[in-house]
């Protein structure tokens, strides 16, 4: 069986604590790998390596940092297929989707290659006689990242490339369910010339996370995962004096207005609800049909959903793979089983589905629930599986009120041909990312990603300008090169003349 170790100070480090967790191939249900779970001492070793590396890396030139990042970008580009295969083997998503994940992660490496522009400061000359003021941004020190299972390469790449480009050093704690891509990312960074200790990976569970949240040498924590854990991370790490951005779960709504192109809306709903088996924080999980659109829209969604081919992620004909664990598959199925009793109409029931030859895989088919009441668990909870709820409302206003009543506010979308309605929606909806005829509005790398309400705890969105701000702190330098005429004692508060 393969073993996944830690990556500390530029080398693979075996788990000294002797505790391991199982990693499963979701398509076969077989345990293929064991992953080391870090003890407090192992986390401390990673933080110590990062702290020692910061002494040099924090003061290294922008040219030195970006030359490593450019080489890293080229290496990642050359290893896209290998990284995607690692993702599929442990996460289960289909290869084309895994390639998309690698591409979106690469975007942030490309952004980090341009850090020279992002880190340019501001200078005001002659604010008073012979006085200049410069605003500069400096790195924080050691930064920790804690990431979820559903994007085992992309979400780590949302964090560490920008953090290290800004001059920080990094300790990553990836999901214990699919840890191999993160280790490969660290190996490739070393191959690109990143000095030892700048990027470290500790594997493990809550023990490792809680140590990072409390460690006095960790200056900031980036987290992406479920809402309850995001809240715990934010509360605990801020109580220990750290800067924190903690991105949580979601329930993303797609509002379909009566004038929308219903074929385009149905294509978008099916792609966004069932892609990656619904295990995306930006998945559309609730379609809100306005006016009389419901019947026709549900029929079009059903027709498309019935044609989706489910199978192992490494089969190029598969469009949707299995879920991450058996327990998660059963939990997702329970929402579909309970839906009718809670007032929904079950149009498609994907439970009980299996793939011939892969009977122990974590399979579930596509489910479509119509006329779902807002009180049903399938609507109230983040299911994180291939279950799409359709809700019906009479008017645009009712639809927006329904969306705004949700405790989450990650992404949302409106489908319409009416520019005025789309503009109104952008301004009125309470969510961090809005799509107009775009169902999964994940911002490009040079804009920032983040939700509102229970989808994000902290003040900064991730990557883009917000990412640069999160991973740096401001300093303002006021300079005078005195002239003999400036002499003399003055006890007054300094003011500018
Ligand atoms: P999760 O919250 O269970 O785990 C995320 C990370 O936290 C993992 O590294 C895990 O080891 C760690 N963790 C789990 N329980 C912990 C605990 N009690 N104490 C400390 N650390 C703990 O999330 P997941 O199941 O891996 O990922 C799916 C979730 O992530 C979904 O809710 C999804 O919406 C969310 N997500 C959000 C975004 C976003 O950008 N907002 C992106 C991707 C995923």
């Amino acid at each position: 069986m393969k073993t996944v170790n830690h990556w500390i100070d530029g080398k693979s480090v075996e788990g000294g604590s002797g505790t391991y967790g199982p990693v499963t191939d979701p398509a076969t249900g077989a345990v293929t790998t064991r992953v080391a779970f870090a003890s407090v001492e192992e986390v401390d070793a990673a933080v110590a390596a990062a702290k020692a590396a910061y002494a040099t890396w924090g003061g290294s030139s922008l040219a030195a940092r970006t030359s490593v990042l450019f080489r890293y970008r080229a290496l990642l580009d050359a290893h896209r297929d290998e990284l995607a295969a690692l993702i599929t083997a442990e996460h289960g998503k289909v290869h084309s989707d895994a390639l998309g994940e690698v591409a979106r992660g690469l975007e942030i490496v490309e952004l980090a290659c341009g850090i020279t522009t992002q880190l340019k400061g501001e200078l005001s000359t002659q604010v008073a006689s012979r006085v200049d003021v410069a605003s500069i941004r400096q790195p924080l020190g050691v930064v920790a990242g804690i990431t979820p299972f559903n994007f085992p390469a992309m979400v780590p790449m949302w964090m560490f490339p920008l953090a290290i480009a800004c001059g920080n050093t990094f300790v990553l704690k990836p999901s214990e369910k699919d840890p191999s891509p993160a280790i490969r990312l660290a190996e490739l960074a070393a191959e690109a010339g990143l000095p030892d200790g700048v990027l470290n990976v500790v594997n493990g569970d809550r023990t490792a996370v809680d140590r990072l949240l409390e460690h006095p040498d960790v200056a900031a924590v980036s987290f992406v995962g479920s809402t309850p854990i995001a809240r715990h991370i934010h509360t605990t790490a801020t109580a220990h004096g750290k800067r924190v951005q903690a991105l949580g779960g979601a329930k993303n709504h797609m509002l379909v207005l009566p004038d929308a192109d219903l074929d385009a809306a149905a294509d978008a709903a099916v792609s966004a609800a069932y892609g990656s088996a619904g295990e995306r924080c930006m998945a559309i999980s609730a379609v809100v049909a306005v006016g009389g659109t419901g019947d026709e829209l549900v029929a079009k969604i059903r027709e498309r959903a019935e044609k989706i081919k489910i199978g192992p992620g490494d089969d190029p004909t598969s469009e949707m793979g299995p879920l991450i664990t058996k327990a998660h598959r059963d939990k997702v199925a329970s929402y579909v089983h309970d839906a009718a009793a809670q007032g929904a109409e079950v149009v498609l029931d994907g439970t009980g589905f299996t793939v011939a030859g892969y009977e122990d895989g974590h399979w579930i088919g596509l489910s479509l629930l119509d006329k779902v009441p807002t009180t049903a668990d399938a609507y109230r909870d983040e299911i994180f599986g291939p279950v799409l709820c359709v809700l019906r409302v009479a008017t645009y206003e009712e639809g927006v009120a329904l969306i705004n009543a949700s405790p989450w506010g990650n992404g949302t979308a409106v489908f319409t041909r009416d520019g005025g309605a789309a503009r109104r929606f952008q301004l009125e909806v309470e969510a961090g990312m809005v799509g107009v005829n775009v169902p999964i509005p994940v911002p490009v790398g040079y804009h920032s990603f983040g939700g509102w309400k229970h989808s994000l705890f902290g003040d900064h969105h991730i990557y883009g300008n917000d990412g640069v701000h999160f991973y740096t702190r401001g300093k303002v330098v006021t300079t005078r090169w005195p002239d003999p005429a400036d002499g003399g004692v003055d006890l007054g508060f300094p003011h500018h003349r």
Side-chain angles (χ1 to χ4, degrees):
M1 186 183 299
K2 175 179 155 187
T3 298
V4 176
N5 294 313
H6 312 299
W7 183 267
I8 299 174
D9 208 14
K11 50 194 162 299
S12 178
V13 173
E14 280 182 28
S17 72
T19 311
Y20 292 89
V23 179
T24 307
D25 176 349
T28 63
V31 175
T32 57
T33 303
R34 60 176 199 156
V35 55
F37 276 15
S39 61
V40 166
E41 292 71 31
E42 287 166 315
V43 173
D44 286 356
V47 175
K51 189 180 177 186
Y54 179 68
T56 313
W57 184 252
S60 62
S61 71
L62 287 168
R65 286 185 234 158
T66 50
S67 68
V68 173
L69 285 160
F70 274 104
R71 280 196 298 274
Y72 190 41
R73 195 257 162 220
L75 274 174
L76 289 171
D77 185 40
H79 287 81
R80 283 175 197 251
D81 252 324
E82 182 203 337
L83 285 162
L86 283 176
I87 294 168
T88 296
E90 294 179 359
H91 175 285
K93 67 177 73 173
V94 299
H95 188 72
S96 55
D97 193 29
L99 277 174
E101 162 171 0
V102 175
R104 294 308 299 261
L106 251 174
E107 262 182 40
I108 312 304
V109 179
E110 287 162 1
L111 177 76
C113 287
I115 198 68
T116 42
T117 308
Q118 300 267 338
L119 279 187
K120 266 166 37 184
E122 294 172 336
L123 175 69
S124 301
T125 56
Q126 197 66 356
V127 299
S129 183
R130 285 178 294 283
V131 176
D132 301 333
V133 177
S135 291
I136 61 173
R137 298 202 69 84
Q138 293 190 300
L140 308 173
V142 179
V143 175
I146 299 146
T147 53
F149 81 82
N150 68 319
F151 284 107
M154 181 186 78
V155 172
M157 285 198 273
W158 281 359
M159 300 174 181
F160 73 79
L162 213 46
I164 65 178
C166 290
N168 304 283
T169 55
F170 205 87
V171 179
L172 171 68
K173 206 303 283 175
S175 171
E176 64 278 29
K177 297 191 177 98
D178 45 13
S180 293
I183 291 289
R184 193 69 190 116
L185 290 174
E187 288 170 354
L188 290 171
E191 205 177 316
L194 191 70
D196 294 349
V198 174
L199 172 62
N200 307 274
V201 183
V202 288
N203 284 302
D205 59 1
R206 180 172 189 162
T207 304
V209 173
D210 285 347
R211 180 59 186 153
L212 287 169
L213 302 183
E214 292 165 6
H215 200 297
D217 290 333
V218 171
V221 176
S222 295
F223 172 87
V224 176
S226 61
T227 289
I229 310 301
R231 193 182 276 117
H232 161 67
I233 301 285
H234 186 257
T235 308
T236 311
T238 52
H240 285 86
K242 302 182 195 323
R243 182 179 290 195
V244 185
Q245 56 179 184
L247 283 71
K251 193 87 185 176
N252 304 307
H253 297 73
M254 170 172 157
L255 188 71
V256 182
L257 299 185
D259 70 332
D261 175 338
L262 289 191
D263 284 305
D267 286 343
V270 171
S271 312
Y274 303 116
S276 198
E279 290 175 326
R280 288 180 183 145
C281 67
M282 288 291 274
I284 289 293
S285 43
V287 164
V288 183
V290 179
T293 55
D295 288 348
E296 198 183 342
L297 184 61
V298 168
K300 287 178 185 291
I301 291 174
R302 176 189 187 144
E303 184 194 324
R304 287 159 174 78
E306 281 174 335
K307 291 185 189 144
I308 300 297
K309 178 158 185 288
I310 304 167
D314 58 6
D315 176 344
T317 67
S318 301
E319 294 171 279
M320 189 182 110
L323 291 180
I324 185 73
T325 60
K326 267 199 178 64
H328 184 52
R329 189 266 316 272
D330 295 345
K331 179 100 204 299
V332 171
S334 74
Y335 284 103
V336 182
H337 293 147
D338 294 346
Q342 295 183 5
E345 234 172 64
V346 181
V347 180
L348 289 175
D349 179 346
T351 63
F353 175 88
T354 193
V355 174
Y358 292 83
E359 284 77 7
D360 290 332
H362 314 153
W363 304 108
I364 192 163
L366 285 65
S367 294
L368 178 60
L369 310 176
D370 192 12
K371 300 178 184 153
V372 181
T374 51
T375 49
D377 292 337
Y379 175 71
R380 288 159 59 94
D381 294 352
E382 181 188 38
I383 299 178
F384 223 54
V387 180
L388 178 60
C389 295
V390 178
L391 295 93
R392 313 251 187 144
V393 295
T395 61
Y396 162 89
E397 286 78 9
E398 212 187 305
V400 171
L402 185 151
I403 298 171
N404 288 350
S406 167
W408 286 287
N410 213 37
T412 187
V414 64
F415 276 70
T416 181
R417 290 184 171 104
D418 180 339
R423 184 173 181 279
R424 196 177 152 192
F425 182 78
Q426 290 166 48
L427 299 179
E428 291 177 352
V429 77
E430 292 172 11
M433 293 166 283
V434 181
V436 176
N437 300 315
V438 173
I440 304 194
V442 174
V444 287
Y446 36 97
H447 287 259
S448 300
F449 179 111
W452 286 14
K453 302 196 272 187
H454 292 182
S455 296
L456 189 145
F457 302 89
D459 302 320
H460 292 84
H461 287 197
I462 205 161
Y463 66 73
N465 287 345
D466 264 26
V468 174
H469 264 248
F470 183 78
Y471 293 128
T472 54
R473 53 189 162 172
K475 186 180 273 178
V476 185
V477 183
T478 303
T479 307
R480 163 176 282 161
W481 293 104
D483 187 271
D486 296 333
V489 173
D490 180 357
L491 296 194
F493 194 70
H495 62 283
H496 301 308
R497 269 193 226 115

